[in-house]
Amino acid sequence: MAKKVAVIGAGVSGISSIKCCVDEDLEPTCFERSDDIGGLWKFTESSKDGMTRVYKSLVTNVSKEMSCYSDFPFHEDYPNFMNHEKFWDYLQEFAEHFDLLKYIQFKTTVCSITKRPDFLRNWSVGCGHRDRGQAK
């Protein structure tokens, strides 16, 4: 039986954490409050949830060789310094290539994380689903 792991957020760190869990035969569940991956890299015209995100004209100031995942380099035709759309495309390609989307519960906000006294499961994660009420 694989050990269960909670990952909070499906941004750059979250999706790489999911992949690391899968690589180590762990069972990740990622809780993402929005309806898509990318976190701060997912551009939207307005910020309904109060999160700051990339701005429309953003271009990275870190080269593609330094900002890629070690096991998933950028395509050769990607520019050395890319705009936010190209970087988000890369995150989407990474998630799809390693079949990570199936581990993500979208529109799910983590409301609490508490240590359990019984030691059978170390932590309890309380979540609110935007469309379905509360769950644990």
Side-chain angles (χ1 to χ4, degrees):
M1 178 184 223
K3 200 172 234 184
K4 293 182 177 186
V5 176
V7 176
I8 313 299
V12 173
S13 298
I15 60 175
S16 64
S17 295
I18 296 167
K19 183 183 179 299
C20 289
C21 287
V22 171
D23 289 349
E24 295 296 323
D25 294 321
L26 299 170
E27 187 181 322
T29 299
C30 178
F31 302 101
E32 170 55 48
R33 71 178 173 175
S34 74
D35 60 358
D36 210 342
I37 68 165
L40 302 176
W41 286 97
K42 179 66 177 174
F43 175 78
T44 58
E45 288 290 338
S46 63
S47 179
K48 295 175 187 167
D49 57 10
M51 283 185 57
T52 303
R53 292 187 172 84
V54 295
Y55 49 92
K56 198 170 195 160
S57 62
L58 181 117
V59 175
T60 61
N61 63 354
V62 178
S63 70
K64 67 181 181 183
E65 291 82 6
M66 297 301 291
S67 58
C68 68
Y69 295 116
S70 61
D71 57 351
F72 196 75
F74 283 102
H75 294 293
E76 284 289 321
D77 64 340
Y78 272 41
N80 200 28
F81 300 95
M82 62 200 77
N83 65 27
H84 68 85
E85 290 174 285
K86 205 64 149 164
F87 191 81
W88 187 86
D89 289 345
Y90 170 76
L91 296 177
Q92 188 71 38
E93 291 168 12
F94 176 84
E96 289 173 0
H97 178 81
F98 292 108
D99 198 22
L100 304 177
L101 298 175
K102 67 185 177 186
Y103 299 101
I104 304 171
Q105 290 184 18
F106 293 103
K107 296 185 179 181
T108 305
T109 300
V110 173
C111 300
S112 66
I113 300 173
T114 54
K115 185 109 170 107
R116 294 179 54 93
D118 60 10
F119 297 106
L120 295 175
R121 296 184 307 173
N122 292 336
W123 300 93
S124 179
V125 179
C127 297
H129 300 274
R130 271 197 263 167
D131 299 333
R132 296 175 297 216
Q134 295 286 84
K136 284 198 183 223

